[in-house]
Amino acid sequence: MTEKVGAVLVIGGGPAGIQASLDLAEMGLKVYLLDERTTIGGNMARLDKTFPTNDCSMCILSPKLVAAGRHPNIQLIMNAEVKGITGEPGNFKVRMKRYATYVDETKCTGCGVCAEHCPIEGVNEFDMDLAPKRAIYIPFPQAVPLVFAIDPGLCIGCGECKQFCKADAIVYDYESEVESDLSVGAVLLAPGYDLVDPKVKTEYGYGKFPNVVSNLDFERILSASGPTAGHVIRPSDGDVPKRIAFIQCVGSRDAQTGNTYCSSYCCMAALKQAVIAKEHTEDLEAHIYFMDIRAFGKQFEEYVTRAEEEYGVHLHRNNRIANLVEDSNGDLILRYHEEAEIFEEKFDLVILSAGARPPREAKSLAKALGIKLNKFGFCETDGFTPLDSSAPGIFVCGAFSAPKDIPDSVAQASGAAGKIAGLLGEVKNTLVQPKEYPAEIDVSGQEPRIGVFVCHCGINIGGVVDVPAVMEYAKTLPGVAYAEQNLYTCSQDTQEKIKEVIEELKLNRVIVASCTPRTHEPLFRNTVREAGLNQYLFEMANIRDQCSWVHMKEPVKATEKAKTLVRMAVAKARLLEPLPVSKVQVEPSALVLGGGIAGMSAAIAIANGGYNVHIVEKSDRFGGHLNTIYHTLTGLDPQEVLEETRKEIEEDEKITVHLNSTLEQLSGYLGNFESKLSDGSTVKHGIIVVATGGLEYEPKEYMYGEDEMIIPQTELGRRLAKGEFDAKNVAVIQCVGSRNEEYPNCSRICCFTAMANALRIKKEHPETSVYVLYRDIRTFGFAEEYYNEAARAGVLFVRWDPESPPVVTKENGQIVIRVTEQFIEDEIVIKPDLVVLNAGVRANPDNEELAKMLKVPRTEEGYFLEAHMKLRPVDFATDGIFLCGLAHSPRLIWESIAMANAAAARAMTVLSKGEVESEGATSVVDADKCRGCGDCEEACEFGAARLVEVEPGVMKSQINEILCKGCGTCVATCCNRAITLRHFRSEQIMQMIQAALDLEGKT
Amino acid sequence: MSSEGEKKPGSTGGEGWEPNIVAFCCNWCSYAGADLAGVSRFQYPPNIKVIRVMCSGRVEPQFVLRALELGADGVLITGCHIGDCHYLSGNEKAEVRMKMTADLLEMLGIGRDRMRLEWISASEGEKFAETMREFTERIRELGPNPLTNGGEDSG
Ligand code: FES
């Protein structure tokens, strides 16, 4: 066998490609991140906001772009494509071709003078052709890499840019394309998706009627940094639209275009766009026309309710818009059916929710790499191995294998990284160097020289707060040596700028006035570190989340408040001091809680990466909920997979099994946990994966438990598998215990189960009638095919409204179901001999106790709450603890498996490092002041504060900085003020209080 | 309410008076709740300035006293719900400590209502905004801090 190569080629730089690259890089693999475009960010960079949190897309993506752009183990290869591959898993040669941008990336500073002088204007594809760009351009201001590129299709070679480029970065005579080879151990495909061209749906007039736009067009229109600077105006005349309509399933679930699959994200995207548009224009009326509303993700249903009830978005169910026409004002008249009648409605602006199609490079990629595409042109994967392409050693994640939303894509990305770590674990750290920071500048004894960077955040801050005024004000504050304003302080060019200014002006403290330190402090701390400052010489003022966004209608007061917040930050910054960090060894092993398919998959992935794993299962056997599932939609046998996985667990030497066991006590922290298990063992481990699964809801409704003809779907599955099924008339009721007041969200899997069971009945018992009583069918992705197949096979679908749910009674020994069918608006009476309740998923009740032990949060429904819904789906906010499977939220088997691999990958980014750094912001005791009373020892939950006999009869408190979590409770407890919490010292806080109240602003 | 009793005519602020409020938010829940209020665009009055601490247990009585002494009209302390503290029980200790502080404020004639302790989780953006609105209103009713308007130092 040839030697393995510790490098990976990641193709596609969207959120999935970026996440995978970061994980792989953190695990010690060299990453080549290749993209056809000149920048990374993918379609996510185009989005204005993201559901269900309405987070600003760029705000959460930008730190990742910057992290990928600056990671020493990641090399960006832009404007390139792959041409061929040879070799075998572990050792491939990939042929790639790079197209010239005619700009030397090592010289370009991204200053933009070239574009200012370029006389040629074309359209910017990034802005969906709604804004101009120059022939030399960057697609968007936060671009990474921040390197201009010449569009050879536009450039006339006039030489203006070359003349003005001070960096001498423009090279006209580059060869237009250069081929070369990359040596890698694995390839990961993450090219994402492209939008279906709405023009193919000629009945909607896209491209013909100016006020018909696509969903991505509309994202750009909503975006503060988009072509209209965030003003929602219609393209034809710049008027502010008052009535807008969204048409769903444009080029999805559509036989005409051949795209019979569901694109998965468009329902939520339309709801989000409607909500955000209404935030822009208060009296706006928004209507969404859809077939089923597919809000199947974590807490999505609550978002739908909020959009409808709080924002007044109008939802028109069961609606396929026939066509639309334009009137002489450019308004659009929409024709649709409702309640068997045809209606016409007039709108100022129509948004087409265009679906996803395979990325344009799909075919050439498939050819170059020898992978199979499915019949729609997406990457083919197998049921339970969603991260493997058809070619060994080539993995896939994100929308390229099936349309999906960002969190699912990101989870898959980490999952694929986990699989690759299994393949290349033994050659990690062979091609990369650990990140080195410059030696720290000694600032002791220096007067404070503070630099203040005030962020516009597009118009997120600048649209409300007078940023230039805040900047000018900052300059007047004592200790401030420099202040500037930035469009986006978090962009890569600004990081460079900050470093330059620190160096040039010898700044010894830095303040960024922008968003929240909870998301952005690490980025800026890293920046100051790169400039040689200790990371604790940085402070943030949150003038967005806690100012411009919450005082949107009071710009003058918001500006005053922003000044105060900056003044407070400056007051603290004057007293900031460099803090040392100590390093701690990481115990190179994992504890996995839960022995279902998710827990087992995570354990195997971590063991494959080369680490010892302890897996703890409460019951006497592995498999969890999967033990009750006998068939799936795609026809695969879960029991087979379960058996194989179980065997792997039992045979893997690195895995220690703890059956009939639970976690009883946990101590320690990231890198150094110690657990006591109920089987008596004590385990040391570096990380924890929570995979405690979920439960099937036990119905209280529909006469469940009162008649043996009424059964849950798992029982139906069992009967079908065991040949015990003999019913002639089956009624399946959907959404049992889901989407109601007690449990507002969707259980995600029940529509799939319904189709799987219905199809199996129809196949094995064609004479049996099957009724599926549903609210919305949510067979997202390619599962839509099975919905169509079921309809073709004669399964009868009856849609009911939550206002009038089906009523189950027993009359003369016969079960009778009465339900008002929504299409025909009439009552239907069904007399089944078997009623199947498709009961939803419930969070594991054990989560409550466990959450307390782990000190991690849960949702209202009792699922664990991840660090960030969009971009950190498998991380907890607490370092070193990860989650996957139904512990997170309801998911399908293959999704749980992918997520388990993701949790494993994230865990391995810690395990592979060998050591972690402690917090610098810990408590210290002044031994002279300490009277040895022991109050702090009592107050400290972490055993960090301890009384020690320093000399005979003299007790003093000592604080272990590795154990100290920096909460500061001991400080407030100490009567003698002998304890100081570094970075939150009393003097620092007192200064902030004073600054907050100093209305004349003298401090 | 003693502080209301002491309010002098004219010290209700008259024109242009706006309550000045300092809030201490723990990093893990209530500061995140404040961020969520922002992301969700829940509007509240700009009178409140937040100081971030890692845990509500970090808040010393002297912070509250100092704020009032320097002219704050109200002080708010927010933390994770009991049971949710990222450091297990910091908020429980804060509760005890802040109760004592409130008693002290009452004794000093400043009035315990000028201080409030509230639990706000990371998912309670609306609650954060509502608390800000409500507390600002309450302080508006109470009028300016008696200490800054020549109010007596002792009850
Ligand atoms: S961390 Fe929120 S109160 Fe302790």
Side-chain angles (χ1 to χ4, degrees):
Chain A
M1 215 190 113
T2 44
E3 217 170 288
K4 288 187 178 176
V5 181
V8 182
L9 171 64
V10 177
I11 300 173
I18 291 172
Q19 184 60 49
S21 299
L22 288 169
D23 288 338
L24 291 163
E26 286 293 299
M27 287 189 266
L29 292 163
K30 169 86 196 167
V31 177
Y32 302 102
L33 176 55
L34 178 145
D35 200 296
E36 286 208 322
R37 296 161 193 83
T38 55
T39 57
I40 56 172
N43 276 324
M44 187 175 175
R46 287 185 162 126
L47 305 184
D48 174 40
K49 302 277 173 354
T50 60
F51 59 81
T53 51
N54 287 359
D55 264 318
C56 152
S57 182
M58 193 44 89
C59 301
I60 55 176
L61 180 63
S62 185
K64 295 261 181 186
L65 297 179
V66 175
R70 72 153 103 223
H71 201 292
N73 301 355
I74 300 176
Q75 184 182 332
L76 301 181
I77 304 175
M78 297 292 101
N79 221 25
E81 59 183 2
V82 295
K83 284 291 170 194
I85 191 165
T86 54
E88 60 190 72
N91 192 331
F92 289 117
K93 279 243 158 1
V94 183
R95 186 98 186 135
M96 62 156 188
K97 187 192 263 185
R98 279 196 80 171
Y99 297 91
T101 58
Y102 305 99
V103 177
D104 184 340
E105 59 195 21
T106 60
K107 288 187 182 163
C108 176
T109 62
C111 72
V113 174
C114 52
E116 273 167 37
H117 289 90
C118 174
I120 304 299
E121 201 173 270
V123 289
N124 190 353
E125 304 83 357
F126 178 82
D127 276 317
M128 305 305 288
D129 297 353
L130 295 169
K133 73 167 188 200
R134 298 289 162 170
I136 185 161
Y137 70 103
I138 46 164
F140 56 100
Q142 309 83 354
V144 172
L146 189 70
V147 175
F148 277 71
I150 288 179
D151 181 338
L154 286 176
C155 178
I156 53 167
C158 66
E160 286 287 304
C161 55
K162 193 170 169 60
Q163 189 189 328
F164 284 95
C165 180
K166 292 235 158 43
D168 201 16
I170 291 152
V171 191
Y172 283 128
D173 45 14
Y174 268 144
E175 285 210 39
S176 64
E177 43 187 70
V178 181
E179 289 202 15
S180 59
D181 285 334
L182 280 176
S183 190
V184 294
V187 178
L188 175 58
L189 301 169
Y193 69 98
D194 273 319
L195 207 62
V196 168
D197 182 359
K199 278 197 193 109
V200 301
K201 301 293 290 175
T202 49
E203 62 269 40
Y204 300 142
Y206 184 79
K208 201 161 76 190
F209 307 144
N211 296 328
V212 176
V213 300
S214 77
N215 41 1
L216 262 189
D217 297 343
F218 198 53
E219 287 290 344
R220 296 311 300 148
I221 291 173
L222 288 168
S223 169
S225 46
T228 58
H231 298 294
V232 180
I233 50 176
R234 55 184 212 160
S236 71
D237 48 17
D239 277 357
V240 176
K242 291 281 176 253
R243 297 193 83 225
I244 65 171
F246 294 81
I247 301 180
Q248 297 304 105
C249 296
V250 174
S252 304
R253 304 179 69 187
D254 177 38
Q256 190 200 337
T257 51
N259 298 347
T260 46
Y261 53 85
C262 161
S263 293
S264 301
Y265 60 78
C266 334
C267 281
M268 286 304 291
L271 281 158
K272 169 202 71 181
Q273 292 184 345
V275 164
I276 301 293
K278 281 186 75 84
E279 280 181 357
H280 281 254
T281 317
E282 223 172 285
D283 54 347
L284 178 100
E285 221 181 90
H287 294 254
I288 305 180
Y289 295 87
F290 58 87
M291 297 201 285
D292 301 275
I293 200 98
R294 293 193 161 167
F296 51 82
K298 189 173 190 173
Q299 296 184 352
F300 287 4
E301 194 76 42
E302 287 172 74
Y303 193 87
V304 180
T305 311
R306 205 176 152 203
E308 204 172 6
E309 288 171 7
E310 199 172 309
Y311 285 88
V313 175
H314 300 270
L315 304 182
H316 301 268
R317 296 186 157 78
N318 292 331
N319 261 293
R320 188 87 175 179
I321 300 293
N323 65 350
L324 54 83
V325 290
E326 190 189 42
D327 74 4
S328 53
N329 292 328
D331 294 344
L332 302 149
I333 298 149
L334 229 94
R335 309 189 67 204
Y336 67 99
H337 302 258
E338 203 161 271
E339 294 157 2
E341 269 180 76
I342 294 182
F343 285 85
E344 286 193 349
E345 286 267 3
K346 199 153 128 179
F347 292 98
D348 306 334
L349 183 72
V350 169
I351 296 111
L352 304 180
S353 286
R357 64 178 170 86
R360 69 203 87 165
E361 62 265 45
K363 281 203 184 109
S364 59
L365 265 180
K367 197 164 153 243
L369 298 175
I371 54 151
K372 282 199 200 120
L373 301 179
N374 70 11
K375 68 173 179 181
F376 301 114
F378 288 90
C379 182
E380 187 166 289
T381 57
D382 243 2
F384 292 137
T385 50
L387 307 172
D388 296 88
S389 80
S390 61
I394 302 182
F395 301 88
V396 61
C397 64
F400 184 37
S401 59
K404 57 180 70 70
D405 67 6
I406 294 167
D408 288 349
S409 295
V410 169
Q412 280 205 333
S414 291
K419 294 207 93 168
I420 293 171
L423 176 66
L424 301 177
E426 72 234 50
V427 283
K428 63 175 193 263
N429 292 324
T430 53
L431 294 174
V432 298
Q433 303 294 328
K435 175 153 187 167
E436 298 269 352
Y437 288 97
E440 248 170 47
I441 302 164
D442 181 9
V443 302
S444 55
Q446 289 181 9
E447 282 296 305
R449 289 183 57 77
I450 305 170
V452 182
F453 297 80
V454 189
C455 182
H456 281 263
C457 195
I459 61 163
N460 284 310
I461 296 169
V464 177
V465 168
D466 183 347
V467 170
V470 175
M471 174 194 68
E472 288 305 330
Y473 174 74
K475 288 181 185 164
T476 68
L477 295 169
V480 174
Y482 176 78
E484 72 166 57
Q485 52 182 327
N486 317 104
L487 184 58
Y488 292 96
T489 308
C490 61
S491 68
Q492 190 160 27
D493 61 322
T494 313
Q495 307 317 298
E496 294 309 316
K497 183 74 199 294
I498 293 173
K499 285 190 269 177
E500 270 166 37
V501 180
I502 292 172
E503 238 161 80
E504 235 168 72
L505 300 178
K506 306 247 174 303
L507 299 180
N508 52 22
R509 312 277 191 288
V510 173
I511 291 172
V512 171
S514 60
C515 50
T516 171
R518 290 175 50 254
T519 55
H520 281 61
E521 194 175 61
L523 170 77
F524 296 120
R525 278 185 169 178
N526 188 52
T527 301
V528 303
R529 264 183 99 179
E530 286 180 354
L533 289 182
N534 181 281
Q535 59 174 331
Y536 291 97
L537 295 170
F538 173 77
E539 181 67 17
M540 269 180 104
N542 189 343
I543 62 169
R544 188 190 70 181
D545 306 52
Q546 296 180 12
C547 189
S548 67
W549 274 353
V550 289
H551 315 311
M552 291 168 92
K553 300 194 180 87
E554 299 169 279
V556 175
K557 287 183 178 168
T559 303
E560 280 317 300
K561 177 169 168 181
K563 287 181 185 171
T564 303
L565 294 175
V566 169
R567 186 168 69 230
M568 289 159 69
V570 170
K572 180 169 179 187
R574 282 196 294 265
L575 296 179
L576 288 177
E577 54 194 357
L579 302 179
V581 287
S582 50
K583 291 189 174 160
V584 187
Q585 293 294 310
V586 172
E587 177 69 39
S589 67
L591 180 76
V592 176
L593 298 172
I597 190 68
M600 287 194 291
S601 306
I604 291 170
I606 296 172
N608 285 347
Y611 307 98
N612 289 328
V613 182
H614 290 267
I615 182 165
V616 183
E617 164 59 37
K618 189 181 169 186
S619 74
D620 59 358
R621 64 169 179 162
F622 287 111
H625 192 52
L626 199 57
N627 282 312
T628 62
I629 299 172
Y630 294 91
H631 60 127
T632 65
L633 202 45
T634 49
L636 291 168
D637 182 358
Q639 294 307 315
E640 239 171 61
V641 177
L642 193 52
E643 212 29 65
E644 272 169 37
T645 316
R646 226 179 249 148
K647 239 176 96 193
E648 253 185 272
I649 288 274
E650 275 152 18
E651 283 169 10
D652 199 317
E653 281 171 11
K654 290 198 166 315
I655 300 177
T656 311
V657 169
H658 302 266
L659 286 172
N660 296 312
S661 191
T662 53
L663 177 65
E664 279 199 330
Q665 210 189 326
L666 176 77
S667 62
Y669 50 93
L670 163 72
N672 288 282
F673 289 105
E674 189 174 297
S675 292
K676 285 205 171 52
L677 305 178
S678 61
D679 67 3
S681 49
T682 300
V683 176
K684 281 188 191 303
H685 49 103
I687 64 95
I688 303 171
V689 175
V690 178
T692 44
L695 302 178
E696 184 177 355
Y697 166 67
E698 182 162 337
K700 295 195 235 2
E701 48 274 84
Y702 302 123
M703 288 178 62
Y704 181 72
E706 291 170 39
D707 194 293
E708 58 188 20
M709 276 194 282
I710 302 172
I711 61 169
Q713 80 273 19
T714 36
E715 172 61 13
L716 172 65
R718 194 195 61 81
R719 286 188 195 179
L720 282 165
K722 305 278 179 224
E724 292 169 21
F725 176 87
D726 58 359
K728 294 283 170 274
N729 238 321
V730 183
V732 182
I733 303 179
Q734 295 296 101
C735 292
V736 179
S738 303
R739 304 176 68 191
N740 57 24
E741 234 158 71
E742 184 206 328
Y743 185 92
N745 286 301
C746 168
S747 290
R748 188 173 182 126
I749 58 179
C750 333
C751 283
F752 285 64
T753 319
M755 295 309 154
N757 287 336
L759 280 168
R760 184 153 182 188
I761 295 173
K762 278 294 178 191
K763 194 166 149 224
E764 294 171 5
H765 309 268
E767 72 297 345
T768 298
S769 315
V770 182
Y771 296 84
V772 175
L773 280 53
Y774 73 101
R775 286 174 57 187
D776 293 284
I777 291 291
R778 292 179 164 175
T779 42
F780 59 90
F782 301 133
E784 183 71 8
E785 292 275 286
Y786 297 97
Y787 176 24
N788 294 332
E789 198 184 319
R792 278 197 301 272
V795 175
L796 296 158
F797 290 92
V798 180
R799 184 180 200 136
W800 52 275
D801 188 278
E803 314 274 275
S804 52
V807 177
V808 181
T809 54
K810 193 161 188 183
E811 296 167 16
N812 306 324
Q814 167 69 54
I815 296 277
V816 179
I817 302 179
R818 291 193 170 77
V819 56
T820 306
E821 160 40 87
Q822 267 196 337
F823 285 101
I824 57 171
E825 283 206 296
D826 216 348
E827 189 179 83
I828 290 182
V829 180
I830 305 168
K831 295 185 175 163
D833 54 2
L834 190 65
V835 179
V836 180
L837 302 184
N838 232 330
V841 179
R842 284 293 182 275
N844 188 338
D846 296 348
N847 291 356
E848 193 180 344
E849 258 314 291
L850 188 57
K852 284 196 185 128
M853 245 191 280
L854 301 173
K855 295 182 268 326
V856 295
R858 291 183 307 143
T859 68
E860 271 173 32
E861 286 161 341
Y863 296 104
F864 286 105
L865 187 60
E866 63 273 32
H868 191 277
M869 283 214 161
K870 211 71 187 174
L871 292 182
R872 295 182 67 191
V874 300
D875 298 4
F876 276 111
T878 309
D879 289 341
I881 312 182
F882 308 89
L883 75 165
C884 59
L886 269 67
H888 172 281
S889 64
R891 33 210 57 231
L892 298 155
I893 300 166
W894 59 270
E895 291 179 320
S896 283
I897 296 174
M899 208 180 192
N901 280 291
R906 301 286 304 141
M908 286 189 279
T909 62
V910 177
L911 296 176
S912 64
K913 282 209 189 73
E915 56 182 22
V916 282
E917 287 181 352
S918 78
E919 264 287 317
T922 51
S923 289
V924 275
V925 182
D926 180 342
D928 290 341
K929 285 190 186 164
C930 176
R931 288 185 302 200
C933 68
D935 283 355
C936 54
E937 180 170 355
E938 207 173 300
C940 181
E941 292 273 5
F942 309 101
R946 280 275 142 80
L947 281 185
V948 180
E949 191 161 14
V950 285
E951 47 189 89
V954 184
M955 301 297 279
K956 296 276 175 189
S957 166
Q958 286 181 358
I959 292 175
N960 175 336
E961 65 176 325
I962 299 303
L963 291 177
C964 176
K965 297 213 177 271
C967 66
T969 300
C970 56
V971 185
T973 308
C974 180
C975 306
N976 227 29
R977 299 209 174 131
I979 309 178
T980 302
L981 173 60
R982 293 187 281 206
H983 208 56
F984 291 92
R985 279 164 31 212
S986 301
E987 309 90 272
Q988 291 170 330
I989 294 174
M990 289 296 206
Q991 283 299 314
M992 287 185 89
I993 295 170
Q994 191 170 346
L997 296 165
D998 175 18
L999 302 180
E1000 275 84 56
K1002 288 185 298 255
T1003 47
Chain B
M1 200 40 272
S2 66
S3 63
E4 261 177 303
E6 279 158 25
K7 221 189 301 167
K8 298 188 186 90
S11 73
T12 38
E15 244 148 88
W17 176 72
E18 279 294 329
N20 219 334
I21 299 167
V22 175
F24 295 93
C25 296
C26 85
N27 181 63
W28 301 96
C29 288
S30 51
Y31 195 91
D35 284 345
L36 182 62
V39 171
S40 319
R41 313 294 193 276
F42 296 134
Q43 303 295 301
Y44 57 83
N47 306 56
I48 295 187
K49 318 293 180 306
V50 169
I51 295 177
R52 183 172 69 116
V53 287
M54 294 315 278
C55 177
S56 63
R58 170 70 187 93
V59 181
E60 299 175 38
Q62 58 155 344
F63 296 168
V64 179
L65 295 172
R66 180 80 177 134
L68 291 165
E69 189 182 81
L70 288 171
D73 300 300
V75 179
L76 186 67
I77 298 100
T78 60
C80 311
H81 285 269
I82 294 293
D84 287 357
C85 171
H86 189 75
Y87 307 101
L88 299 174
S89 62
N91 50 5
E92 289 166 26
K93 298 188 180 91
E95 192 168 33
V96 177
R97 219 171 276 144
M98 289 308 129
K99 208 168 253 152
M100 272 165 42
T101 313
D103 292 344
L104 189 61
L105 295 185
E106 192 67 27
M107 260 162 53
L108 291 172
I110 300 168
R112 64 182 329 127
D113 279 16
R114 292 204 181 266
M115 195 199 91
R116 185 183 290 184
L117 178 64
E118 196 75 58
W119 309 133
I120 300 173
S121 84
S123 58
E124 289 175 332
E126 175 55 38
K127 181 172 180 194
F128 186 89
E130 186 52 37
T131 305
M132 297 302 128
R133 284 181 219 124
E134 234 181 65
F135 190 58
T136 310
E137 262 332 289
R138 179 74 191 121
I139 297 298
R140 205 183 288 283
E141 277 166 27
L142 292 178
N145 174 351
L147 299 180
T148 54
N149 281 275
E152 293 123 85
D153 278 354
S154 58

